[in-house]
């Protein structure tokens, strides 16, 4: 999901996994939506918890959820659980 914030920067929210620790001045590398992403250099790390990370590059704020449940709970699409027989 991409949006623009007050600074004019894109805001990207994804569910995925960091492949390397976030380092200021280096690109972030993470897997999400079946692809591997490499960002431009990270300029700030705003928040990091066990389940989420919020970091900033020159043009984008990234919010990466390491658990599928928080973003799935916000999904506007109906979700059904499948039963295994």
């Amino acid at each position: 999901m991409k949006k623009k914030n007050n600074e004019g920067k894109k805001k990207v929210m994804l569910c995925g996994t960091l492949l390397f620790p976030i380092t200021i001045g280096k690109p972030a590398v993470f897997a999400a939506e079946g692809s591997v992403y490499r960002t431009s250099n990270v300029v700030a790390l705003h928040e990091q918890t066990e389940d989420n990370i919020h970091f900033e590059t020159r043009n984008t704020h990234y919010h990466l959820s390491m658990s599928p449940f928080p973003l799935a709970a916000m999904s506007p699409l109906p979700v059904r659980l499948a039963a295994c027989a």
Side-chain angles (χ1 to χ4, degrees), residues 7-21:
E7 301 169 340
K9 288 190 176 188
K10 289 184 286 187
K11 180 178 179 180
V12 176
M13 300 176 76
L14 294 167
C15 182
T17 304
L18 282 174
L19 300 180
F20 299 100

Side-chain angles (χ1 to χ4, degrees), residues 14-54:
L14 294 167
C15 182
T17 304
L18 282 174
L19 300 180
F20 299 100
I22 297 289
T23 304
I24 305 295
K26 304 256 181 180
V29 181
F30 59 91
E33 300 178 346
S35 297
V36 174
Y37 295 88
R38 181 181 182 269
T39 70
S40 59
N41 290 347
V42 174
V43 297
L45 177 59
H46 295 288
E47 180 183 13
Q48 185 170 7
T49 66
E50 190 174 300
D51 297 325
N52 298 290
I53 187 163
H54 170 204

Side-chain angles (χ1 to χ4, degrees), residues 50-81:
E50 190 174 300
D51 297 325
N52 298 290
I53 187 163
H54 170 204
F55 62 93
E56 179 181 352
T57 63
R58 184 175 176 194
N59 299 312
T60 308
H61 280 272
Y62 288 90
H63 296 264
L64 184 65
S65 172
M66 269 63 97
S67 168
F69 299 108
L71 290 180
M74 295 174 13
S75 174
L77 301 174
V79 177
R80 288 188 185 178
L81 296 176

